[in-house]
Amino acid sequence: MRPVRRFFCAPNVACANLPTRNTIGQNLFEKVWDAHAVRSLSNGQTQLLIGTHLIHEVTSPQAFGMLRDLGFKVKYPSRTFATVDHIVPTDQRVEPFSDPLADAMIRELRRNADEFEITYFDLATGKQGIVHVVGPEQGITQPGTTIACGDSHTATHGAFGAIAFGIGTTQVRDVLATQTMALGKLKVRRINVEGVLSPGVYAKDVIMHIIAQLGAKGGIGYAYEYGGSLLDSFSIEERMTVCNMSIEGGARCGYVNPDEKTFEYLKGRPYSPDGDEWEQAVERWRSMASDKDCSYDDVVNIRAEDIAPTVTWGVSPDQAFSINGSLPDPESAASEAERLSIDEALAYMKLEAGSAIKGTRVDVAFLGSCTNGRLSDFREVAKFLKGHKVADGVKAIAVPGSQIVDALARKEGLHEVFTEAGFEWRGAGCSMCLAMNPDKLVGDQLCASSSNRNFKGRQGSPTGRTVLMSPVMVAAAAVSGAISDAREVFEVERAVN
Amino acid sequence: MALEKITKVTGSAAYVPGNDIDTDRIIPARFMKCVTFDGLGEYLFHDVRKDENGVDRDHPLNDERFSSASILISNANFGCGSSREHAPQALYRYGFRAVIAESFADIFFGNCTTLGMPCVVAKAEDVRALAAVVEANPAAEVTIDVVGNRVLSEGIDFAVKIPQAAHDALVAGQWDPIAELQEGDSEVAQRVAALGYLPAGK
Ligand code: SF4
């Protein structure tokens, strides 16, 4: 019998055991925390129940090893879901893989999923993909729940109003063995973004702008709640892009309150509740949203019209600015530490203080990742890419975030738009976001990338250079052969009007 | 499970300067193609320690004077980026037993604590002073008094912060939470039943 995997709540039961509070409203983080708090631990942390556990091949094998060493079983195998994403090749997808280490990892995951009876979206299922794309598209990611995954971008699932934590391998063991983990409660910072974006500015620019404003460590100790009229107007996939990069801002998790769009998105997905359970679930999900009169530990207000197409110029995600900005001068830095950081970043990126980044030659264009590898990303790029060609000397790859994204894009003929323009259309996986598979930068190649990290060596070459930007900006870089303002390359203003 | 009570860490130290030293830098992704953590120590800071031809670059950990260091000193936001436990594991297997920095990324901090490797937060000027001592005398003994939240070395004595939960867990020898989490089994079952979305009775 297929185990029950649906997420729903028996009416009125969930609330019965909640600690009563006489205070005014609660925010979503507090509600979810209270609903999942099992008890206090001796060190003052909370034992937190994890509703959904997602695993992949890189951070789980050692956890299963520890589990075996201790003689433990997986406590709730039906609440754990596995996929393979980081090491899968995106071109040659037949096994055995040419890389024996990658091959050993996929075999190990298969063995663990088998032995512990865990649902595994393997390559042959047609549902494989990046864990943060697969969870939402299967309807596994649901509002008001706790989610954990041995991957820092688990924050992505917050787009549904889930509290989703990236965890280390020992914690993966803890969740496997007990379906709980030890955690200290976070503070909550509300980030309001009000207004509308101008044409050519996207969700990716919004989160990069927020990180540039608040800093890469600004969110330490916080959960970020994103809201305001702009977030309300965003699609679920746009919200995923925003929540995805919470971790780049130092926050442990990020979320958007669930609304009708969230429910609409989830309706009819394989693991979404259906029938009577659907109504009950929606009722519960709705009740988990932050109350109007709740309080926050901090509030930040951002105006949508201040956000420009944003690119990184350095080796930390907060080293970002408007595409039309000029590179900072270390000599005018506010502190010695900042001067060193700017110096180091410019030297690594081989960029010159005071000059523009626009016009910098690009060797590689990468479209994909859990930040921007969903159907809406490829659709948006395809709108502009038609009739353009990738510039000579640029290697451009488009990598769908999952096999389902791949199939849907093909159905719409999107892959043809990309291949006609000179992009390679690949199979699903993390690919060049962190280059654990064969997709890597070579030497000091510069990559225009729709991914989320511009760390030194992130894309597979110890001297490789990454410039983060929105998917449409990546396409503009690909066709012009240089970092460009997509609004100029594609005459965005005209195209949308 | 009886674990070691981590009340203090003593040893020589190495200073690896820089803000926002991310886990990709601590252990580059390609070395995570493994199914155990064994052998990760060898690749610690690999790409900043070696050039493309595998030749040593100028890096504190390539300096023989710091080869027996067991305490790492660094600056702000140490361990940001990926949640990979491979990063603390690489530090531990290389021989480090504690990190002193101006601040730590959350996930990295938690991962270190569960390995019994204290991460202590020091003021920027204290980090600078300690780094100066260590550079002048690489053999200088550094002691992290975990119980008393202090760092001591030659002519140095300053306060550090360790979040209370981590502090208590280390000092009490309860830094690996698994045993205590398992003790909560019946309460977990109750919570599961109350929430109604996990299959009960498993
Ligand atoms: S796409 Fe990149 S950031 Fe996302 S899970 Fe894969 S490697 Fe991590």
Side-chain angles (χ1 to χ4, degrees):
Chain A
M1 196 189 77
R2 180 170 170 265
V4 184
R5 287 201 191 89
R6 302 240 155 88
F7 252 93
F8 65 93
C9 172
N12 302 327
V13 179
C15 312
N17 285 358
L18 292 186
T20 44
R21 280 201 179 203
N22 296 324
T23 53
I24 44 171
Q26 284 185 301
N27 59 48
L28 178 138
F29 182 87
E30 295 168 323
K31 292 185 193 184
V32 175
W33 183 272
D34 287 352
H36 293 79
V38 175
R39 58 187 197 134
S40 292
L41 298 171
S42 58
N43 66 2
Q45 287 189 311
T46 298
Q47 179 169 12
L48 193 72
L49 181 66
I50 298 303
T52 301
H53 188 199
L54 305 169
I55 61 172
H56 62 70
E57 76 283 12
V58 181
T59 53
S60 72
Q62 296 86 352
F64 284 107
M66 298 176 200
L67 207 67
R68 284 194 185 93
D69 287 349
L70 293 165
F72 296 161
K73 294 242 158 314
V74 177
K75 181 98 180 158
Y76 292 98
S78 65
R79 295 306 317 164
T80 301
F81 301 86
T83 185
V84 57
D85 47 11
H86 289 67
I87 53 99
V88 288
T90 56
D91 45 4
Q92 250 297 356
R93 286 163 76 88
V94 280
E95 292 179 62
F97 299 150
S98 57
D99 178 349
L101 295 172
D103 206 59
M105 289 173 85
I106 193 171
R107 277 187 279 114
E108 184 74 6
L109 182 60
R110 208 169 272 145
R111 166 171 95 109
N112 289 328
D114 247 21
E115 182 179 330
F116 293 102
E117 298 180 335
I118 289 166
T119 306
Y120 172 33
F121 303 111
D122 204 346
L123 285 171
T125 61
K127 299 170 183 170
Q128 169 268 340
I130 305 172
V131 62
H132 312 307
V133 177
V134 170
E137 81 191 352
Q138 289 296 320
I140 293 166
T141 302
Q142 295 180 11
T145 62
T146 49
I147 299 176
C149 174
D151 194 284
S152 56
H153 291 99
T154 308
T156 313
H157 305 264
F160 292 80
I163 297 301
F165 299 105
I167 59 177
T169 294
T170 302
Q171 284 177 307
V172 172
R173 174 207 65 184
D174 294 347
V175 179
L176 289 172
T178 69
Q179 200 65 28
T180 65
M181 62 183 204
L183 203 69
K185 197 170 177 178
L186 299 170
K187 292 180 286 185
V188 183
R189 172 178 290 145
R190 164 85 178 190
I191 301 177
N192 285 312
V193 193
E194 299 288 347
V196 286
L197 297 174
S198 41
V201 183
Y202 296 98
K204 178 65 162 287
D205 301 305
V206 173
I207 185 61
M208 288 186 23
H209 178 87
I210 291 172
I211 295 165
Q213 298 288 306
L214 303 179
K217 51 178 183 288
I220 292 181
Y222 280 99
Y224 277 177
E225 176 179 305
Y226 305 98
S229 60
L230 184 68
L231 270 293
D232 291 345
S233 76
F234 270 177
S235 70
I236 296 300
E237 298 198 350
E238 289 174 306
R239 294 177 191 177
M240 281 195 250
T241 299
V242 172
C243 291
N244 175 270
M245 288 186 72
S246 302
I247 192 79
E248 273 64 52
R252 186 73 189 263
C253 59
Y255 65 89
V256 177
N257 281 301
D259 62 10
E260 298 309 314
K261 278 185 201 164
T262 319
F263 312 145
E264 188 57 38
Y265 185 98
L266 285 172
K267 189 142 200 181
R269 297 199 177 253
Y271 289 86
S272 293
D274 54 14
D276 291 348
E277 290 171 6
W278 172 256
E279 292 304 326
Q280 288 169 15
V282 170
E283 197 182 319
R284 172 173 185 272
W285 295 345
R286 210 173 260 136
S287 75
M288 297 306 274
S290 295
D291 295 324
K292 287 224 158 52
D293 58 349
C294 72
S295 59
Y296 299 97
D297 299 285
D298 189 33
V299 178
V300 171
N301 293 303
I302 297 208
R303 296 187 333 166
E305 53 268 39
D306 292 344
I307 306 174
T310 304
V311 294
T312 56
W313 54 264
V315 292
S316 171
D318 58 353
Q319 291 174 323
F321 62 175
S322 148
I323 176 67
N324 293 308
S326 33
L327 290 156
D329 185 345
E331 298 318 318
S332 47
S335 67
E336 176 63 8
E338 197 189 322
R339 191 185 70 77
L340 288 174
S341 298
I342 296 174
D343 233 8
E344 186 194 357
L346 291 178
Y348 183 87
M349 293 301 292
K350 303 190 168 132
L351 295 170
E352 219 173 289
S355 59
I357 197 163
K358 214 157 89 171
T360 306
R361 248 200 60 200
V362 162
D363 306 294
V364 177
F366 170 61
L367 263 181
S369 87
C370 58
T371 320
N372 284 122
R374 281 172 284 268
L375 186 62
S376 56
D377 297 308
F378 296 106
R379 274 187 185 152
E380 185 65 20
V381 173
K383 265 191 347 210
F384 297 106
L385 199 57
K386 261 193 199 123
H388 288 273
K389 285 268 181 253
V390 170
D392 285 346
V394 175
K395 179 188 176 72
I397 62 172
V399 186
S402 70
Q403 291 179 325
I404 290 180
V405 170
D406 183 18
L408 293 173
R410 283 172 185 277
K411 215 159 126 192
E412 294 181 15
L414 296 180
H415 68 301
E416 277 161 8
V417 176
F418 283 90
T419 50
E420 268 160 31
F423 270 82
E424 296 171 34
W425 184 266
R426 298 290 190 84
C430 295
S431 179
M432 210 184 268
C433 173
L434 95 167
M436 275 187 82
N437 76 343
D439 307 334
K440 293 182 198 316
L441 296 184
V442 180
D444 69 353
Q445 277 183 329
L446 189 138
C447 179
S449 181
S450 71
S451 56
N452 48 36
R453 283 188 176 141
N454 55 338
F455 298 152
K456 289 181 179 176
R458 171 74 178 181
Q459 295 189 285
S461 162
T463 49
R465 297 170 292 158
T466 303
V467 177
L468 302 177
M469 57 187 81
S470 75
V472 172
M473 288 280 283
V474 170
V479 305
S480 59
I483 295 174
S484 317
D485 188 336
R487 296 171 298 190
E488 294 160 11
V489 175
F490 297 128
E491 297 176 38
V492 167
E493 213 87 34
R494 272 227 319 265
V496 289
N497 287 340
Chain B
M1 240 181 305
L3 297 171
E4 190 193 343
K5 292 183 168 62
I6 299 174
T7 52
K8 69 173 187 171
V9 180
T10 300
S12 59
Y15 177 46
V16 175
N19 290 333
D20 306 310
I21 292 185
D22 57 76
T23 53
D24 275 80
R25 205 171 320 166
I26 298 171
I27 184 85
R30 62 184 185 284
F31 301 116
M32 292 173 19
K33 275 190 249 167
C34 53
V35 293
T36 72
F37 288 129
D38 307 344
L40 280 180
E42 198 185 319
Y43 303 112
L44 180 68
F45 288 116
H46 185 278
D47 291 349
V48 278
R49 291 177 62 190
K50 308 258 180 208
D51 71 10
E52 293 94 289
N53 306 314
V55 178
D56 278 3
R57 293 179 204 261
D58 192 16
H59 189 276
L61 298 193
N62 289 336
D63 185 334
E64 251 182 41
R65 298 175 304 146
F66 299 111
S67 61
S68 58
S70 61
I71 295 173
L72 184 71
I73 307 166
S74 193
N75 303 106
N77 203 21
F78 188 79
C80 61
S82 150
S83 62
R84 64 187 68 159
E85 192 167 305
H86 303 68
Q89 289 278 359
L91 286 165
Y92 194 90
R93 278 154 209 265
Y94 180 90
F96 286 111
R97 291 295 174 266
V99 188
I100 303 170
E102 292 165 39
S103 60
F104 295 91
D106 283 341
I107 301 180
F108 176 85
F109 179 88
N111 286 342
C112 287
T113 308
T114 9
L115 293 184
M117 183 162 64
C119 289
V120 304
V121 178
K123 290 206 206 79
E125 63 261 32
D126 291 334
V127 165
R128 227 176 297 133
L130 181 63
V133 167
V134 167
E135 313 248 274
N137 175 16
E141 191 177 272
V142 177
T143 295
I144 302 174
D145 171 5
V146 180
V147 179
N149 295 311
R150 298 201 80 77
V151 166
L152 306 126
S153 189
E154 293 171 358
I156 292 247
D157 179 0
F158 57 80
V160 288
K161 280 194 205 140
I162 314 176
Q164 199 62 41
H167 176 271
D168 294 355
L170 289 164
V171 169
Q174 289 173 341
W175 35 270
D176 184 338
I178 189 77
E180 207 183 350
L181 291 177
Q182 288 207 312
E183 284 163 20
D185 237 20
S186 62
E187 279 140 298
V188 172
Q190 282 170 24
R191 176 71 22 207
V192 165
L195 270 171
Y197 68 65
L198 288 148
K202 270 212 100 175

